[in-house]
Amino acid sequence: ILPGDSLVGTRIFGEIKRGDVIIFNYPLKKTVSYVKRVIGLPGEKIRIDGHKIFINGQELSEQRVIISDS
C-alpha cells in the first residue's frame, strides 16, 4: 500500500492470526485510520532489531518488498 492508494475493508469478527491486515481508528483522533499487519499474538515476546523481527527468540521469516520513490 502506497500513499495515495485507495483501500476497501470489510468488518470480519473472529480470531486474528499472524499476517492478517487490520484497519483501526487512532484512539485519540477517530478520523485517522491505521492499516497494520499483525505480527504478534497474545503472550508472545516481540523484538525488532533493525529490519529483523524476532518472536519468542526466533526470527520471523518473511518476504520483504522495498519500494523507492526515486
Side-chain angles (χ1 to χ4, degrees):
I1 303 172
L2 299 173
D5 285 354
S6 296
L7 185 68
V8 176
T10 303
R11 285 185 191 258
I12 299 176
F13 297 97
E15 184 180 356
I16 296 175
K17 301 176 297 298
R18 187 181 334 281
D20 286 353
V21 175
I22 59 172
I23 303 169
F24 59 95
N25 290 356
Y26 179 61
L28 301 178
K29 190 173 182 183
K30 299 291 184 188
T31 59
V32 176
S33 295
Y34 278 87
V35 178
K36 298 290 179 181
R37 183 174 52 93
V38 175
I39 60 169
L41 299 173
E44 293 181 328
K45 182 179 178 185
I46 308 298
R47 180 172 62 93
I48 300 173
D49 186 1
H51 292 284
K52 294 181 181 182
I53 299 169
F54 295 86
I55 300 173
N56 297 327
Q58 303 247 344
E59 185 177 354
L60 177 64
S61 62
E62 62 180 358
Q63 184 178 8
R64 291 184 179 87
V65 176
I66 300 173
I67 299 173
S68 174
D69 282 341
S70 48

